[in-house]
Amino acid sequence: MSKEIRTQSVPVELRMDGDVIKVSGYAAVFDEETDIGGMFREVIRPGAFKSAIERNDNVSFLINHDGLPLARTSSGTLKLTEDRTGLRIDTELDATDPDVARIVPKMKRGDLDKMSFAFISTREEWTFEDGESDLREVMDTELFDVSIVTDPAYGGTSIALRSRDDAKPKPKDEEKPEASKKADSYFLRKASAENKFRGI
């Protein structure tokens, strides 16, 4: 199954300690409603990362979800914890690593100042309300990476839309009204275009 990507606009803390650069922050924040491209609303609920942390998912720390890892949970250079706020990351980066040296000035200036995470939703709940966009509550996940990013990203929206369609009650005749089919087709095209634009 393909991954989804979400970004949080939460300040990232950067500290220098000899040849080690420590980065801390939140890749995800709980109970904050986010509009996902005008297609649905989404909330990450407390406990969404508990299983991933307990399973020791092999999570990498990347730049814009791409390239070689700067840190990794399996090596002990990336630590993930879940607290009341959300998914907290603490990393130890090698200051002599050219990739690290390349991003530190950008982080200091605030050019790279957002955290993001790549995941698969393994348990979720949908709420459907007339006149309002659908609400997705993510309850449990599988984690792949956390990244320092330049711009907000909502990759994988088409995956979530398929999940929504599976959860949505079907009309009695098991056939969607024509207007609903057209709306779904539009949203899927929009999500696909968005993912291509962001290179996801």
Side-chain angles (χ1 to χ4, degrees), residues 38-93:
M39 290 173 277
F40 59 91
R41 296 169 292 142
E42 184 175 81
V43 175
I44 309 294
R45 293 302 186 195
F49 307 106
K50 183 174 183 289
S51 296
I53 293 170
E54 289 178 349
R55 273 195 315 267
N56 293 316
D57 285 357
N58 189 12
V59 180
S60 299
F61 183 73
L62 304 175
I63 305 169
N64 287 320
H65 301 280
D66 193 26
L68 295 172
L70 304 180
R72 191 187 286 273
T73 52
S74 59
S75 68
T77 52
L78 172 64
K79 182 182 179 184
L80 301 178
T81 53
E82 184 181 293
D83 60 22
R84 292 182 179 180
T85 301
L87 177 65
R88 179 179 172 85
I89 71 145
D90 292 280
T91 67
E92 293 186 357
L93 308 180

Side-chain angles (χ1 to χ4, degrees), residues 99-112:
D99 291 329
V100 173
R102 183 166 54 93
I103 67 166
V104 168
K106 296 174 177 61
M107 292 179 67
K108 286 181 177 178
R109 289 198 309 259
D111 299 332
L112 280 167

Side-chain angles (χ1 to χ4, degrees), residues 156-194:
T157 49
S158 59
I159 299 165
L161 289 172
R162 287 197 296 272
S163 172
R164 177 203 65 177
D165 289 345
D166 289 342
K168 187 173 273 188
K170 301 291 188 295
K172 289 182 180 179
D173 62 357
E174 294 298 316
E175 185 65 31
K176 289 184 179 180
E178 193 62 31
S180 177
K181 288 181 181 178
K182 289 180 179 177
D184 285 357
S185 176
Y186 165 77
F187 287 136
L188 285 171
R189 289 197 311 271
K190 185 176 179 182
S192 176
E194 172 198 29

Side-chain angles (χ1 to χ4, degrees), residues 100-145:
V100 173
R102 183 166 54 93
I103 67 166
V104 168
K106 296 174 177 61
M107 292 179 67
K108 286 181 177 178
R109 289 198 309 259
D111 299 332
L112 280 167
D113 63 348
K114 297 176 180 65
M115 291 298 306
S116 183
F117 67 103
F119 71 106
I120 288 175
S121 174
T122 55
R123 185 165 62 89
E124 61 192 40
E125 294 180 6
W126 286 91
T127 302
F128 307 103
E129 298 178 9
D130 291 338
E132 291 191 33
S133 60
D134 301 330
L135 175 65
R136 181 198 200 195
E137 298 175 81
V138 177
M139 319 295 283
D140 199 6
T141 60
E142 180 181 352
L143 285 173
F144 294 92
D145 72 74

